[in-house]
Amino acid sequence: MAHHHSHQHHAGPPEPDEAGLAAVLDLDAEVLHAHLAELTAWLKDLTGDAPVRRILDLGSGTGTGTFALLSRFADAEVVAVDQSPYLLRRLLGQAHERGLAQRVRTAEADLDAGWPDLDPADLVWAAASLHHLADPGRALREAYAALRPGGLLAVVELDGFPRFLPDDPVPGLEERLRAELSQRHAEQVPHLGSDWGPRLTGAGFTIEAERVFGIELRHPLPEPTGRYAQAVLDRMRGAVGDRLGADDRAALDVLIDSDGPEGLLRRTDLVVRAERSVWVARRPVHPAG
Ligand SMILES: C[S@@+](CC[C@H](N)C(=O)[O-])C[C@H]1O[C@@H](n2cnc3c(N)ncnc32)[C@H](O)[C@@H]1O
């Protein structure tokens, strides 16, 4: 069932965690803007001469992908699908602010349950969302059905949160945090880190391209990098802080502290290191078999 709605409808407050998630997603879009531009340029090349008029953004969040795609594909409109009315409302608010509201629609839907009834898309984009689903295989079959024959699906997945710290003053702190997180993810988000290639072919797609983007940003960093690092490490602390040793926890507190002289907001030696894997798959015009 589709719920197309404008941003006035959901006035309810966010779930406690959603405001924090939204802030990290927005900062992520700002800090990794150049990467996203490179990724969508590559994707545009892969679409060739075929017009891209309708795009689906699955698990859109606050619209990182939606806005990057709108600027890359000038003739397209985007339908942003997410289960969170709060995130969709923020996305629509942004669309209005950027003068793009005419080209954006939202559909509130749980991608593990009923899919919205949508017109065939030329391009489907799913960034950091498929691993959240209970049954991604099913979602891929739905994505296949939502595409026109010949249309493309881009699956973007992350290798985890980015890293920011040079290896002092607490050697290995970030690595220990990441190790704890991946243990937790193994329990809670088992599809994170999957090889999506076989799943895509299993759903009927042909793999068009596969690429790993290694991101490493150094000085001069985009303005909000300190806040981004702070928000990311704060979320990691929230998720697994209680599994760290006391020294690591204390060091993390110093880094996250907004006022402290050694806090992330004041450090000038941050780097942003991240890895993103992208699979681009096509719904064949003539399916095999
Ligand atoms: C890590 S965020 C990624 C957001 C965005 N694609 C980006 O790249 O910034 C994951 C998003 O998937 C959404 N999501 C998770 N499970 C979902 C489900 N079952 N149905 C619809 N959306 C879901 C969440 O609400 C969240 O917005």
Side-chain angles (χ1 to χ4, degrees):
M1 255 262 296
H3 297 281
H4 296 287
H5 51 76
S6 67
H7 73 301
Q8 291 94 330
H9 288 185
H10 283 277
E15 301 284 323
D17 196 45
E18 285 190 307
L21 172 63
V24 173
L25 294 177
D26 284 349
L27 286 165
D28 183 270
E30 273 190 77
V31 173
L32 299 181
H33 177 81
H35 153 70
L36 206 55
E38 185 187 356
L39 170 45
T40 56
W42 177 62
L43 188 56
K44 182 145 199 269
D45 282 346
L46 291 170
T47 62
D49 298 331
V52 175
R53 300 244 156 73
R54 178 183 299 274
I55 301 173
L56 277 186
D57 182 1
L58 301 178
S60 61
T62 54
T64 302
T66 294
F67 294 114
L69 294 163
L70 283 171
S71 64
R72 183 63 65 198
F73 295 95
D75 298 327
E77 62 159 37
V78 174
V79 182
V81 185
D82 206 284
Q83 67 184 357
S84 161
Y86 169 73
L87 297 177
L88 290 177
R89 182 159 47 92
R90 279 186 60 134
L91 188 156
L92 273 181
Q94 266 300 308
H96 280 282
E97 261 179 46
R98 299 181 191 202
L100 293 167
Q102 300 302 324
R103 297 172 59 204
V104 179
R105 283 192 301 136
T106 59
E108 183 190 329
D110 178 351
L111 295 167
D112 271 322
W115 270 50
D117 198 6
L118 300 161
D119 295 331
D122 302 300
L123 175 65
V124 175
W125 167 272
S129 55
L130 290 183
H131 67 259
H132 286 288
L133 302 181
D135 189 355
R138 180 186 167 219
L140 291 178
R141 290 190 296 277
E142 296 266 21
Y144 183 97
L147 276 168
R148 68 161 164 78
L152 292 181
L153 165 66
V155 174
V156 184
E157 286 286 332
L158 324 179
D159 77 329
F161 288 118
R163 282 164 289 162
F164 301 99
L165 295 175
D167 215 26
D168 67 301
V170 201
L173 170 62
E174 262 181 330
E175 293 316 316
R176 287 191 290 283
L177 263 174
R178 292 166 72 83
E180 292 294 350
L181 258 184
S182 49
Q183 216 171 22
R184 211 182 109 126
H185 283 154
E187 295 152 19
Q188 297 183 353
V189 224
H191 301 297
L192 189 66
S194 304
D195 180 0
W196 292 89
R199 289 169 181 250
L200 286 161
T201 48
F205 288 98
T206 53
I207 305 289
E208 201 71 15
E210 204 179 316
R211 185 165 162 191
V212 177
F213 289 82
I215 301 165
E216 184 157 327
L217 307 180
R218 295 177 173 280
H219 187 79
L221 291 166
E223 184 275 319
T225 300
R227 280 184 290 131
Y228 181 49
Q230 187 188 40
V232 167
L233 287 174
D234 194 34
R235 281 182 81 72
M236 291 172 97
R237 175 175 64 173
V240 295
D242 57 346
R243 300 200 196 181
L244 293 177
D247 286 354
D248 277 351
R249 262 207 313 278
L252 200 49
D253 287 341
V254 167
L255 288 167
I256 290 169
D257 181 8
S258 290
D259 302 319
E262 292 158 67
L264 292 162
L265 294 184
R266 294 223 167 77
R267 289 183 75 125
T268 52
D269 59 348
L270 298 181
V271 282
V272 182
R273 279 168 291 163
E275 210 166 82
R276 304 203 159 174
S277 301
V278 186
W279 291 259
V280 180
R282 191 181 298 280
R283 171 176 172 164
V285 179
H286 304 292

